[in-house]
Amino acid sequence: MQIGLEHFLVLSAGLFCLGLWGALTKRNVIAILMCVEIMFNAVNIAMVAFSRYIVPTLLTGQVFAIFIITVAAAEVALGLGILLALYRNRETVDTAHIDLMKG
């Protein structure tokens, strides 16, 4: 059995759906950040698979994956900074108790 583009796309779609489900259903901010990272990695798998099977001589998918990893690292650093500030003020990471935008 040979692994084709469809296998990678099914894996990517499954991971993305799992991350989306977790981001929409979890109440812990750390779990939501982890689910967003799962979605980023699902996109990375799809980008590299498309690059490998559609234009194998170019490295565009790998370059996009490195760019996405860089953006994800920046997103995590910013998210954890916001999370630490929220925890210091509210002493909780539950999204039900984070209502700073309410008047």
Side-chain angles (χ1 to χ4, degrees):
M1 179 178 165
Q2 186 172 0
I3 297 176
L5 178 62
E6 297 84 15
H7 295 96
F8 288 109
L9 293 180
V10 167
L11 173 68
S12 175
L15 281 176
F16 190 86
C17 289
L18 181 68
L20 183 63
W21 174 79
L24 293 177
T25 59
K26 298 295 179 187
R27 297 180 66 165
N28 189 328
V29 176
I30 295 173
I32 292 171
L33 282 175
M34 290 171 51
C35 291
V36 169
E37 292 300 316
I38 290 173
M39 288 192 289
F40 276 133
N41 287 324
V43 171
N44 281 339
I45 290 172
M47 292 293 246
V48 172
F50 276 125
S51 174
R52 168 68 174 88
Y53 286 99
I54 293 179
V55 283
T57 58
L58 299 176
L59 296 175
T60 53
Q62 288 84 351
V63 171
F64 276 121
I66 291 172
F67 181 72
I68 290 170
I69 289 170
T70 306
V71 170
E75 176 257 339
V76 165
L78 183 65
L80 287 177
I82 292 171
L83 179 66
L84 283 175
L86 282 173
Y87 184 75
R88 286 181 183 158
N89 288 334
R90 302 285 174 130
E91 295 184 358
T92 183
V93 291
D94 190 5
T95 56
H97 300 289
I98 300 172
D99 55 356
L100 296 176
M101 297 298 284
K102 292 183 180 174

